[in-house]
């Protein structure tokens, strides 16, 4: 088919301009909803312009005209086939509040990745703990900071309040913000490292576990076990699980990318990853607040037993939240769906 | 489209989409350079916003600097993470920088991106930015056929170029009344068959930019092009050549290549 470009353009230009004007109007509107007559018009103009594009592609040497028509067709295609979320959907408060139930549901659905993250961390802990226990030389390698190697001095300082300039809620507030943002960044990295097939996530979790185990054993060895528990538990019971959730999100992402081809609903799967991250961010906000305002107060002000009890109570609440809130059967349903899809 | 804007940008990478109706179209993908410029501009905007908030907070919390620091830290973090995700999610794949550099993030299937995708690709920046200055993201982008950084690969998104295009205007050579090449249909046909799209574009551009070229350069370019066509592709007879300047020769060639393609114009 060979085309008389001039005549063809003269004939077709009005409908291209019409389509352009219609697209301009639609793209400018915030909700981008079509009414029936617009939809009909768009459909017709799209079909005709697409046919024009076909003719230009195969019947003429007109790269610019082709580019112009390709752009038009692409825009019309996007308008026609995209179901836009409505504005109210995006800005509804209730939708955002649902995250509080969606998070534990997602957590339970993907619990096997949490188990994997937990396993790797526990292995790291065991290695770190055993190394410090049986190989004193490893202490210098595993625990880089002096206050971790020789907790005595630090504990003394902490208990006397020497480490702190002046106990003031302002400094605690600033400290909590620093902790929250830093921890969220680290956790997010662990979750994002899922793209390395989960290897990066695993390494990060393992390293974290080694440090955790080494510190725990070192402090206990030197007789500061109770102090350490009181110092770390009130925020640690949220911080450590949140890193595990980050690992869970990382492994989930790795799995997601590996079987991307089979996944029919990538959108929902990515939503699940985002929900896990939103959840761990919430946990870290709480952990940051506790670490700055509560954990740093020591024996004379707050008895160690009380601090440990608070930590244990927090852990119990977190466990109940993660295991019981939201729909109970949500996990089973989706898992059944996935396994039936696999077949 | 004015003459000063080259419309055939060198297409380094493109995505070809075949729709369910059997329509095929291509989307030009954005390379690293415009994306870097857009990102630098966006970073400057974020930095400006953070500093603006900083001054405001400093002024409001003059008596309680600790709370001020807390607010600034949280605001900086929030703005840094929200800027890209919220803007791309609610502004059809564009941030301010992307809009100014005519870039848009879209779904791999050619459809607008969804809010989840905007969040995923922006949260993945913590990985793409490793170990410094987006090295990981840059390597990923350069090694990807679809120019995707890792965030794009995970979210299933692409960044496309959207240089504004108008419908092509009427070309000068279509206005000439008479094209003497038509008298030699066999040669004209040969010219059309042998001319690659690149060569045709070259002739088109040379003629279009007539008034931008210095007279000497124009003479040289037209002479070389005409000579090439004459010797390598379609040797029109010498008595015709004597009557034509190089520019007329090229205009005729363009008329053959782009004009009425039926070549059935009656002999006059």
């Amino acid at each position: 088919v060979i085309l008389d470009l001039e005549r063809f353009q003269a004939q077709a230009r009005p409908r291209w301009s019409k389509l352009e004007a219609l697209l301009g109007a639609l793209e400018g509107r915030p909700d981008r909803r079509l009414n029936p007559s617009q939809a009909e018009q768009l459909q017709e103009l799209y079909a005709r312009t697409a046919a024009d594009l076909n003719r230009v592609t195969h019947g003429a040497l007109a790269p610019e005209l082709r580019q112009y028509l390709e752009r038009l067709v692409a825009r019309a295609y996007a308008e026609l086939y995209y179901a836009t979320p409505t504005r109210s959907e995006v800005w509804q408060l209730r939708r955002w509040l649902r995250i509080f139930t969606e998070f534990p549901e997602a957590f339970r659905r993907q619990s096997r990745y949490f188990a994997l993250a937990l396993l790797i961390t526990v292995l790291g802990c065991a290695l770190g703990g055993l190394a410090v226990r049986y190989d004193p030389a490893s202490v210098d390698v595993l625990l880089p900071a002096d206050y971790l190697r020789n907790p005595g001095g630090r504990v003394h300082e902490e208990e006397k309040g020497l480490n702190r300039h002046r106990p003031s809620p302002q400094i605690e507030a600033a400290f909590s913000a620093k902790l929250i943002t830093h921890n969220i960044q680290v956790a997010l990295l662990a979750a994002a490292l899922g793209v390395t097939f989960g290897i990066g996530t695993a390494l990060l979790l393992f390293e974290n576990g080694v440090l955790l185990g080494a510190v725990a054993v070192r402090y206990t060895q030197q007789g500061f076990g109770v102090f350490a528990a009181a110092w770390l538990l009130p925020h640690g019971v949220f911080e450590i699980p949140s890193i595990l959730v980050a690992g869970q999100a990382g492994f989930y992402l790795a799995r997601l990318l590996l079987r991307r081809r089979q996944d029919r609903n990538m959108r929902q799967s990515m939503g699940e990853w985002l929900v896990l991250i939103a959840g761990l961010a919430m946990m870290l906000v709480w952990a940051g607040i506790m670490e700055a305002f509560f954990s740093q107060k020591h024996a004379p002000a707050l008895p160690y037993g009380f601090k440990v009890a608070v930590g244990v109570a927090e852990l119990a609440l977190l466990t109940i939240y993660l295991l019981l809130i939201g729909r109970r059967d949500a996990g089973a349903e989706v898992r059944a769906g996935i396994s039936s899809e696999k077949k | 489209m004015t003459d000063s804007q080259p419309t055939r940008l060198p297409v380094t990478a493109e995505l070809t989409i075949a729709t369910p109706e059997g329509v095929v179209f291509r989307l030009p993908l954005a390379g690293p350079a415009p994306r870097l410029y857009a990102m630098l501009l966006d970073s400057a905007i974020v930095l400006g916003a953070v500093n603006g908030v900083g001054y405001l907070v400093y002024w409001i919390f003059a008596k309680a600097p600790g709370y001020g620091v807390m607010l600034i830290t949280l605001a900086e973090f929030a703005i840094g993470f929200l800027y890209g995700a919220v803007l791309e999610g609610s502004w059809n794949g564009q941030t301010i920088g992307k809009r100014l550099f005519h870039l848009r993030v879209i779904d791999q299937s050619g459809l607008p991106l969804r809010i989840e995708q905007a969040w995923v690709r922006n949260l993945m920046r913590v990985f793409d930015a490793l170990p410094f200055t987006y090295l990981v993201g840059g390597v990923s982008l350069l090694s990807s056929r679809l120019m995707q950084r890792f965030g794009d690969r995970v979210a299933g998104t692409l960044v496309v170029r959207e240089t504004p295009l108008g419908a092509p205007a009427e070309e000068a050579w279509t206005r000439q009344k008479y094209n003497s090449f038509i008298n030699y249909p066999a040669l004209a046909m040969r010219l059309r068959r042998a001319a690659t799209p690149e060569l045709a574009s070259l002739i088109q551009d040379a003629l279009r930019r007539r008034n931008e070229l210095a007279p000497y350069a124009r003479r040289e370019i037209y002479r070389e092009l005409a000579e090439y066509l004459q010797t390598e592709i379609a040797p029109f007879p010498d008595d015709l050549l004597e009557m034509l300047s190089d520019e007329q020769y090229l205009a005729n060639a363009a008329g053959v290549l782009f004009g009425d393609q039926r070549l059935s114009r009656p002999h006059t």
Side-chain angles (χ1 to χ4, degrees):
Chain A
V1 193
I2 287 174
L3 205 56
D4 178 352
L5 263 187
E6 286 310 308
R7 196 184 305 162
F8 171 67
Q9 280 200 57
Q11 279 172 355
R13 193 161 304 204
R15 61 176 173 259
W16 300 342
S17 314
K18 218 161 132 192
L19 178 57
E20 212 165 350
L22 181 61
L23 287 172
L26 288 175
E27 287 164 357
R29 286 216 325 243
D31 60 349
R32 300 173 83 199
R33 286 274 153 138
L34 293 164
N35 63 40
S37 78
Q38 277 175 327
E40 205 173 310
Q41 201 186 5
L42 180 60
Q43 173 65 49
E44 190 203 326
L45 287 171
Y46 165 68
R48 299 189 64 180
T49 310
D52 292 340
L53 170 62
N54 246 340
R55 293 178 68 187
V56 170
T57 307
H58 299 293
L61 196 60
E64 284 162 34
L65 182 59
R66 183 175 169 198
Q67 247 182 30
Y68 168 75
L69 288 177
E70 279 180 321
R71 178 73 58 79
L72 262 186
V73 168
R75 282 168 68 192
Y77 172 71
E79 281 305 316
L80 272 175
Y81 286 91
Y82 180 63
T84 41
T86 57
R87 192 143 270 236
S88 59
E89 233 177 280
V90 177
W91 294 113
Q92 249 171 17
L93 183 64
R94 221 195 292 162
R95 188 187 133 112
W96 288 102
L97 287 180
R98 275 220 313 268
I99 188 74
F100 287 102
T101 53
E102 276 172 6
F103 171 50
E105 283 167 11
F107 172 83
R108 290 196 296 272
R109 272 196 294 271
Q110 313 306 337
S111 53
R112 49 194 167 140
Y113 303 114
F114 184 82
L116 180 59
L118 185 64
L119 179 71
I120 290 172
T121 305
V122 167
L123 284 177
C125 272
L127 181 79
L130 290 174
V132 170
R133 173 79 180 76
Y134 294 106
D135 178 16
S138 71
V139 171
D140 290 338
V141 182
L142 291 179
L143 299 173
D146 184 57
Y147 74 89
L148 292 175
R149 284 198 289 266
N150 302 303
R154 175 68 182 264
V155 171
H156 178 71
E157 276 176 21
E158 288 283 343
E159 287 186 327
K160 288 270 145 69
L162 294 176
N163 225 13
R164 297 140 57 77
H165 310 284
R166 188 158 39 89
S168 107
Q170 283 201 35
I171 290 172
E172 288 166 355
F175 184 43
S176 77
K178 289 253 150 63
L179 289 169
I180 290 168
T181 53
H182 173 261
N183 289 343
I184 290 179
Q185 243 157 348
V186 171
L188 192 56
L189 180 63
L193 277 170
V195 292
T196 59
F197 303 106
I199 296 167
T201 306
L203 288 176
L204 215 115
L205 287 174
F206 189 74
E207 188 204 353
N208 193 50
V210 168
L211 193 65
L212 213 60
V215 168
V217 170
R218 187 73 177 166
Y219 270 64
T220 317
Q221 263 182 344
Q222 310 225 342
F224 300 110
V226 178
F227 171 84
W231 188 27
L232 299 177
L233 273 185
H235 62 272
V237 291
F238 268 70
E239 206 173 89
I240 294 164
S242 77
I243 293 296
L244 293 177
V245 172
Q248 174 185 23
F251 293 132
Y252 172 68
L253 182 67
R255 182 85 182 92
L256 198 66
L257 296 176
L258 284 176
R259 55 143 225 245
R260 155 165 259 163
R261 293 258 161 74
Q262 294 98 292
D263 197 339
R264 300 229 191 103
N265 201 345
M266 203 59 195
R267 187 184 169 199
Q268 199 189 345
S269 311
M270 274 189 305
E272 190 105 323
W273 188 73
L274 289 174
V275 165
L276 287 175
I277 286 177
L280 76 86
M282 293 190 300
M283 287 166 68
L284 282 171
V285 169
W286 178 250
I289 291 170
M290 286 307 279
E291 181 165 6
F293 288 95
F294 190 81
S295 296
Q296 310 295 332
K297 294 190 168 64
H298 300 293
L302 281 173
Y304 290 147
F306 176 65
K307 288 179 74 181
V308 173
V310 167
V312 172
E314 277 179 273
L315 185 61
L317 284 176
L318 179 66
T319 312
I320 290 170
Y321 171 69
L322 286 177
L323 295 185
L324 297 178
I325 298 292
R327 286 187 303 140
R328 299 296 304 278
D329 51 349
E333 244 174 51
V334 171
R335 226 174 286 133
I338 287 170
S339 58
S340 67
E341 252 177 45
K342 267 184 197 162
K343 292 166 197 167
Chain B
M1 188 113 266
T2 58
D3 280 355
S4 60
Q5 273 177 299
T7 45
R8 263 182 317 284
L9 297 160
V11 175
T12 44
E14 56 190 26
L15 170 74
T16 305
I17 288 176
T19 74
E21 307 93 338
V23 181
V24 176
F25 59 89
R26 305 164 304 170
L27 291 166
L29 301 177
R35 290 178 69 168
L36 181 67
Y37 299 147
M39 197 186 73
L40 288 178
L41 184 67
D42 284 332
S43 311
I45 291 168
V46 168
L47 208 65
V50 167
N51 272 309
V53 170
Y55 276 113
L56 200 68
V57 166
Y58 182 74
W59 182 68
I60 294 172
F61 286 86
K63 295 241 173 72
Y67 295 125
V69 171
M70 175 183 79
L71 263 183
I72 293 170
T73 312
L74 292 177
E76 186 182 351
F77 185 72
I79 293 172
F81 270 102
L82 294 181
Y83 176 83
V86 169
L87 271 186
E88 283 173 13
S90 60
W91 222 10
N92 195 10
Q94 287 187 315
T95 58
I96 296 169
K98 289 200 171 71
R99 182 164 276 207
L100 285 178
F101 286 96
H102 304 299
L103 305 177
R104 192 189 292 281
V105 187
I106 61 165
D107 185 272
Q108 266 176 348
S109 60
L111 296 176
L113 92 165
R114 300 188 174 275
I115 291 172
E116 294 91 347
Q117 292 177 305
W119 277 97
V120 169
R121 77 183 290 282
N122 279 293
L123 288 178
M124 285 300 295
R125 282 184 195 281
V126 291
F127 180 67
D128 276 315
L130 289 178
F132 46 82
T133 60
Y134 277 83
L135 201 65
V136 167
V139 169
S140 162
L141 188 142
L142 290 176
S143 62
S144 147
R145 196 175 53 80
L146 296 177
M147 300 258 181
Q148 291 170 306
R149 62 175 177 82
F150 277 102
D152 290 317
R153 290 177 199 237
V154 173
T157 53
L158 299 166
V159 183
V160 293
R161 264 188 295 130
E162 286 198 335
T163 330
L165 287 178
E170 199 187 0
E171 302 283 3
W173 54 84
T174 61
R175 282 197 294 273
Q176 58 178 352
K177 286 259 159 35
Y178 179 68
N179 187 343
S180 51
F181 282 11
I182 303 291
N183 295 343
Y184 304 90
L187 284 172
M189 189 55 94
R190 187 198 250 176
L191 174 62
R192 187 178 304 145
R193 279 216 190 122
T196 58
E198 288 76 22
L199 180 62
S201 307
L202 195 62
I203 296 169
Q204 195 180 26
D205 274 349
L207 288 169
R208 259 192 206 162
R209 296 194 190 172
R210 177 181 199 287
N211 297 327
E212 292 165 43
L213 299 170
Y216 169 75
R218 182 166 73 218
R219 224 169 29 240
E220 280 301 297
I221 290 170
Y222 286 2
R223 189 179 56 75
E224 274 185 37
L225 271 174
E227 232 176 67
Y228 176 78
L229 291 182
Q230 181 66 18
T231 52
E232 302 290 328
I233 294 186
F236 287 94
D238 287 342
D239 52 333
L240 176 61
L241 289 190
E242 274 165 23
M243 296 190 294
L244 292 176
S245 69
D246 289 330
E247 184 172 351
Q248 277 169 322
Y249 184 99
L250 291 181
N252 283 352
V256 167
L257 289 172
F258 298 102
D260 189 339
Q261 309 262 323
R262 284 164 303 176
L263 279 184
S264 58
R265 201 170 281 174
H267 220 87
T268 41

